[in-house]
Amino acid sequence: MKKQDMLNIAKKAFPVKITQGEALLDAAIFTISQRFIRCMDPGYVLPDSDSLPDDPWFAVIMAVTEMLLGGRQGKLHFTHNSFPFLRG
């Protein structure tokens, strides 16, 4: 499945509307997902394409999205300060 499709499905599971910074949210979800997978299996080869295997990526992306959006509702906006770990 394509990475963006997974991210879109995961975000639609929560009653929020992203008014600003959706690309930042996507980057944060994917970065945390990569770090989690690498932590659980340091030998796992991270794909460099836009298509990802459903297992384990979909479950991890859903869990990370829930961690970031769970319990929130309404309109949200994100800035570079929302995810300082993305700065490099």
Side-chain angles (χ1 to χ4, degrees), residues 39-50:
C39 178
M40 296 304 294
D41 183 0
Y44 184 83
V45 178
L46 296 173
D48 57 359
S49 69
D50 195 34

Side-chain angles (χ1 to χ4, degrees), residues 1-9 30 49-54 57-58 61:
M1 183 183 293
K2 295 215 177 274
K3 174 175 76 172
Q4 193 59 50
D5 292 341
M6 286 187 195
L7 291 167
N8 290 339
I9 290 168
F30 192 69
S49 69
D50 195 34
S51 292
L52 303 171
D54 288 353
W57 286 97
F58 190 69
I61 286 175

Side-chain angles (χ1 to χ4, degrees), residues 9-78:
I9 290 168
K11 290 182 292 187
K12 286 180 183 177
F14 299 93
V16 297
K17 177 173 174 47
I18 310 301
T19 59
Q20 177 183 337
E22 189 164 6
L24 291 169
L25 176 62
D26 289 350
I29 293 168
F30 192 69
T31 300
I32 295 169
S33 297
Q34 283 182 313
R35 291 178 181 177
F36 177 79
I37 289 172
R38 179 63 68 159
C39 178
M40 296 304 294
D41 183 0
Y44 184 83
V45 178
L46 296 173
D48 57 359
S49 69
D50 195 34
S51 292
L52 303 171
D54 288 353
D55 186 39
W57 286 97
F58 190 69
V60 173
I61 286 175
M62 286 298 294
V64 170
T65 305
E66 182 174 6
M67 180 181 71
L68 294 174
L69 298 180
R72 297 179 183 219
Q73 55 185 332
K75 295 180 181 179
L76 300 174
H77 70 276
F78 298 100

